[in-house]
């Protein structure tokens, strides 16, 4: 059986398998983004959601700016944050998505803390949500096929990393057009000149 099939079999769900087949066609990048976006949303609704995401955001925001943490040095604050997140994770063992969200939260905390910048809770929420989606895409799609994609495309590690970053950024910023808008007829001169239907009372 071809190598491609071997790597495709590592993926769970037809949406991720479809995305895998699109990975090798640069001309289908837009379609790949759409499929990965839909696959991510499907997984978030089908077992990988994080019911405690808002609570995680609050914990991180407090660790970044709460006066109670002011007397701690950076290492102690990070340790205290990790302890709080692990306690929360222990109550969410039936939600594997929570573990991904906590990994995302730790990354975002370290990133913001290193810059020593004030940040709003809305910004913390946005960045954790984006990193959470990125972790999901990596764990469900990119990590299982990475070796196969590199073997087939001949990409170096840095080229593969850049390609994955481009995909993740595109999926996170993707705006899906509602079907109602997609199916609207074009408003041309002929249509504008059509008589308006009269409803019978």
């Amino acid at each position: 059986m071809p190598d491609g099939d071997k790597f495709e079999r590592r993926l769970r769900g037809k949406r991720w398998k479809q995305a895998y087949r699109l990975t090798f066609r640069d001309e289908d990048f837009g379609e790949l983004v759409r499929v990965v976006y839909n696959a991510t949303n499907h997984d978030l609704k089908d077992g990988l959601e994080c019911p405690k995401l808002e609570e995680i955001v609050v914990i991180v925001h407090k660790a970044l700016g709460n006066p109670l943490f002011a007397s701690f040095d950076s290492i102690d604050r990070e340790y205290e944050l990790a302890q709080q997140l692990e306690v929360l994770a222990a109550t969410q063992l039936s939600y594997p998505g929570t573990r991904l969200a906590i990994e995302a939260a730790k990354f975002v905390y370290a990133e913001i803390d290193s810059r020593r910048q004030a940040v709003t809770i809305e910004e913390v929420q946005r960045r954790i949500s984006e990193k959470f989606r990125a972790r999901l895409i990596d764990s469900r799609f990119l990590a299982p096929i990475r070796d196969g994609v590199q073997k087939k495309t001949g990409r170096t590690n840095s080229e593969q990393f850049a390609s994955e970053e481009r995909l993740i950024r595109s999926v996170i910023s993707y705006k899906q057009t509602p079907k109602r808008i997609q199916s609207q007829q074009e408003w041309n001169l002929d249509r504008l000149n059509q008589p308006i239907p009269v409803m019978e009372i």
Side-chain angles (χ1 to χ4, degrees):
M1 188 168 286
D3 283 344
D5 292 343
K6 177 180 69 176
F7 289 101
E8 184 177 331
R9 288 201 309 273
R10 295 179 180 178
L11 301 171
R12 299 179 181 179
K14 62 181 181 180
R15 293 171 180 83
W16 293 119
K17 294 178 187 293
Q18 181 185 0
Y20 173 78
R21 292 189 290 271
L22 291 167
T23 299
F24 304 101
R25 301 200 293 267
D26 290 339
E27 67 274 14
D28 289 333
F29 182 74
E31 178 66 5
L32 172 62
V33 170
R34 186 190 69 81
V35 171
V36 172
Y37 175 86
N38 289 336
T40 302
N41 286 346
H42 177 269
D43 281 5
L44 286 171
K45 295 174 182 176
D46 192 38
L48 280 182
E49 71 274 18
C50 175
K52 297 291 186 178
L53 188 59
E54 289 186 10
E55 190 171 334
I56 291 171
V57 169
V58 170
I59 291 172
V60 172
H61 185 251
K62 285 183 177 180
L64 287 165
N66 193 324
L68 293 176
F69 287 83
S71 61
F72 296 171
D73 63 29
S74 179
I75 295 176
D76 287 340
R77 282 188 287 113
E78 188 170 346
Y79 175 78
E80 182 67 19
L81 172 67
Q83 290 294 102
Q84 290 187 31
L85 292 176
E86 288 304 317
V87 168
L88 188 148
T91 69
Q92 297 286 297
L93 296 178
S94 58
Y95 291 96
T98 298
R99 176 57 61 184
L100 293 177
I102 285 175
E103 291 173 2
K106 290 178 180 178
F107 179 92
V108 170
Y109 170 82
E111 181 183 55
I112 296 174
D113 186 59
S114 67
R115 296 175 182 174
R116 302 295 181 187
Q117 296 176 339
V119 64
T120 65
I121 193 168
E122 291 79 14
E123 177 67 7
V124 172
Q125 181 173 28
R126 181 185 68 80
R127 291 165 80 168
I128 290 178
S129 295
E130 289 179 353
K131 183 56 66 173
F132 175 35
R133 282 180 170 264
R135 294 272 176 168
L136 190 155
I137 293 168
D138 183 69
S139 66
R140 300 286 282 185
F141 180 54
L142 296 174
I145 66 169
R146 185 170 290 126
D147 292 344
V149 171
Q150 283 191 257
K151 182 178 180 180
K152 190 168 183 178
T153 61
R155 292 174 186 160
T156 63
N157 289 339
S158 60
E159 288 171 341
Q160 180 64 24
F161 176 78
S163 175
E164 293 179 5
E165 283 290 299
R166 178 190 176 213
L167 175 62
I168 289 172
R169 285 196 309 269
S170 298
V171 172
I172 288 173
S173 63
Y174 180 76
K175 303 296 182 186
Q176 191 170 37
T177 305
K179 291 183 179 179
R180 182 179 62 81
I181 296 176
Q182 290 176 339
S183 62
Q184 284 182 345
Q185 298 180 31
E186 182 181 356
W187 285 92
N188 53 32
L189 188 59
D190 289 338
R191 189 173 178 212
L192 288 171
N193 287 329
Q194 290 178 1
I196 298 174
V198 178
M199 294 180 63
E200 295 183 2
I201 300 177

